[in-house]
Amino acid sequence: MIAIGGAIGSGLFLGAGGRLNSAGPALMLVYAVAGVFAFLVVRAMGEMVMHRPTSGSFVSYSREFIGEKAAFFAGWMYFLNWACSGMADVTAAAVYVKFFYPNIAQWIPALIALAVVLAVNLVSVKIFGELEFWFAAIKVVTLVAFMVIAIVVLIRRTQVAPGFATGPQLIFEHGGFFPAGLFAVLMILQGVVFAYAGVEMVGVAAGETDNPRKVIPKAVNSVGWRIAIFYVGSVLLLVMLLPTSMYSSAGSPFVTVLSKLGIPAVAGIMNIVLITAALSSVNSGLYATGRVLRSLAFNGSAPRVLGKMSRHGVPYAGVLLTGFIYLIGVFLNLKLPHDAFEITIEFSAVGIIGMWCMIMIAHLAFYRATQAGLLPRPEFRMPWAPYSNYVTVAFLIFVLAMTWFNGKTGRFIIYSLPVIVLLLVAGWFACRKGVERIRQEGGAHHHSHSPLE
């Protein structure tokens, strides 16, 4: 549930509207292609978890199979991803609340949302898991309900908008499958990758599962078919109900359809779901970064204080640091209400791309070690390795390169890449000695078998 909750978020509920408008029905093709790569990332992750479950997740796998520098890079890229997407989601939650209280200042609900989620994360892992389960359940139930309504509408051939008959012909009637051409389709890749971010959560959560070797294969494979049903399926239904030009980035495409059908109170209900979707994302982000920062601190790649644990097994220092960064997001809402969301999402995508590449490269190193007979290869394997590793990394780099064409925010992102690299290099030099010392003391992860490593 945590992985699927991570994968179904504002990216689908809110982001799909603008993408349908700009790329047309071809959006489902993009979701399908990106979905295949997201699935491969999760499978690579799953295979390494089967080899050795840990809540340090891909950071400790990068360390084990490549080395300290790789672990440093993977951990901080992950932090960049969640720090930025958390800011975006705190913003999103505030925007949705304004639907009910239009006159409230945007930073107030953002602050309240952050306070609630932070409190939950600091109390215990059990409450986090419980809350996340219900958040995810609300999202899944909503999507299923929407799909059932959509299928009934299609079977009964009910018109959603006057003058447009519903059905498969809509996909091809208004400008065809690629109404804005192929380039428009390539342009939305980054946003779609952002929509899938969070699927790797299954690997982070695995370290705290009772019986990971039994649970993980099931969890990982289910992520695959759920992506297909929820993402590709819901977009397929959306394009058979209305011409894609009738969707827009201003609102959720689901709300667009349901309100046109005249279902009462739909906008209010959908908004509550959108708020839980955003909160669930902030919740997952705090959970994941807390664990990853602890893993980094444990090995000297982050200040030692971030390794502190509470009695209830919560890495509270790391959680608090992330919470503090989300607070910056609240202030961005004050200063740049519109740009804040776009910029944080694009930066978040840079973090995701860096981290997914690291997962693939770590898996490649792991695969080579198994081929050399140094490690046994688990039964649960990533398909078509090592070729799938190369293709996935190439795809991700291509997605990053496409950012350049994305107006001024896109260029801003590309120009800031050297800055990110410089910060990472400077950070590495700052903590290199500490890392070396801890390694010589034998404090490296793969020697310790503490349950909370």
Side-chain angles (χ1 to χ4, degrees):
M1 270 317 236
I2 284 178
I4 189 152
I8 303 175
S10 317
L12 174 63
F13 283 127
L14 191 66
R19 287 184 207 118
L20 274 167
N21 186 309
S22 59
L27 178 63
M28 42 182 172
L29 193 65
V30 182
Y31 271 136
V33 171
V36 169
F37 289 111
F39 181 62
L40 286 172
V41 170
V42 179
R43 279 295 295 251
M45 190 79 192
E47 185 178 336
M48 294 188 290
V49 172
M50 297 297 279
H51 155 73
R52 186 180 60 82
T54 160
S55 70
S57 175
F58 46 85
V59 177
S60 34
Y61 301 130
S62 301
R63 177 177 299 112
E64 186 173 345
F65 306 124
I66 312 172
E68 291 294 348
K69 283 193 189 105
F72 179 85
F73 175 79
W76 286 108
M77 286 312 265
Y78 196 49
F79 183 73
L80 174 74
N81 156 31
W82 274 115
C84 292
S85 70
M87 285 196 230
D89 283 306
V90 165
T91 306
V95 172
Y96 304 141
V97 169
K98 287 189 77 141
F99 174 83
F100 300 106
Y101 304 102
N103 299 329
I104 197 167
Q106 201 167 300
W107 63 271
I108 298 174
L111 193 59
I112 296 171
L114 179 58
V116 171
V117 178
L118 192 57
V120 165
N121 258 283
L122 290 173
V123 177
S124 84
V125 174
K126 196 170 158 52
I127 300 182
F128 160 79
E130 193 68 33
L131 191 68
E132 198 46 47
F133 177 84
W134 289 110
F135 275 162
I138 290 171
K139 292 193 272 198
V140 173
V141 168
T142 307
L143 269 181
V144 170
F146 171 79
M147 291 171 109
V148 170
I149 293 171
I151 289 164
V152 170
V153 167
L154 284 168
I155 290 170
R156 294 178 53 190
R157 302 305 292 257
T158 315
Q159 276 195 7
V160 179
F164 296 105
T166 51
Q169 81 289 342
L170 260 187
I171 302 176
F172 305 103
E173 267 176 5
H174 300 272
F177 197 66
F178 293 101
L182 190 60
F183 191 68
V185 174
L186 296 177
M187 285 304 307
I188 57 171
L189 270 172
Q190 197 176 10
V192 170
V193 168
F194 172 78
Y196 280 135
V199 288
E200 73 296 317
M201 280 288 291
V202 71
V204 181
E208 296 184 36
T209 309
D210 280 343
N211 190 347
R213 289 196 168 82
K214 202 177 107 197
V215 177
I216 288 298
K218 280 215 304 249
V220 166
N221 285 332
S222 70
V223 168
W225 59 262
R226 283 170 175 158
I227 282 175
I229 292 173
F230 288 133
Y231 274 89
V232 184
S234 55
V235 172
L236 175 63
L237 290 168
L238 287 167
V239 296
M240 289 198 289
L241 293 169
L242 282 176
T244 50
S245 56
M246 296 183 88
Y247 295 110
S248 85
S249 56
S252 167
F254 302 100
V255 175
T256 307
V257 168
L258 295 172
S259 49
K260 280 201 190 318
L261 282 171
I263 296 173
V266 63
I269 295 166
M270 198 64 198
N271 254 293
I272 293 172
V273 173
L274 289 169
I275 291 170
T276 57
L279 288 178
S280 143
S281 207
V282 177
N283 199 19
S284 304
L286 282 170
Y287 173 82
T289 46
R291 271 67 191 165
V292 169
L293 285 172
R294 178 166 193 271
S295 174
L296 286 168
F298 205 76
N299 292 276
S301 292
R304 206 163 235 173
V305 62
L306 295 176
K308 289 210 185 311
M309 286 292 251
S310 74
R311 281 186 325 200
H312 303 294
V314 176
Y316 66 92
V319 171
L320 281 170
L321 174 68
T322 309
F324 177 71
I325 287 180
Y326 289 178
L327 204 56
I328 299 171
V330 174
F331 281 107
L332 272 177
N333 275 331
L334 255 164
K335 299 287 170 231
L336 314 155
H338 181 67
D339 301 334
F341 191 70
E342 279 306 306
I343 292 174
T344 46
I345 280 188
E346 299 259 347
F347 265 118
S348 168
V350 172
I352 296 152
I353 290 170
M355 167 189 92
W356 282 10
C357 284
M358 277 320 295
I359 292 175
M360 282 314 195
I361 295 164
H363 180 271
L364 189 61
F366 167 67
Y367 170 81
R368 289 192 178 143
T370 61
Q371 296 306 300
L374 304 171
L375 293 167
R377 195 168 178 205
E379 288 296 292
F380 183 67
R381 297 175 178 182
M382 165 152 141
W384 314 299
Y387 307 106
S388 43
N389 299 62
Y390 298 127
V391 176
T392 306
V393 171
F395 168 75
L396 290 168
I397 291 170
F398 173 71
V399 172
L400 187 59
M402 286 304 294
T403 315
W404 175 256
F405 302 103
N406 203 352
K408 61 176 197 293
T409 41
R411 291 204 187 88
F412 174 66
I413 298 294
I414 297 289
Y415 285 137
S416 59
L417 287 181
V419 180
I420 296 176
V421 172
L422 278 173
L423 284 172
L424 283 168
V425 171
W428 171 251
F429 277 109
C431 61
R432 194 179 48 174
K433 289 198 176 78
V435 170
E436 197 47 50
R437 191 184 65 244
I438 288 175
R439 212 176 60 198
Q440 282 164 356
E441 290 165 8
H445 257 12
H446 38 272
H447 300 308
S448 79
H449 291 287
S450 71
L452 286 166
E453 66 170 30

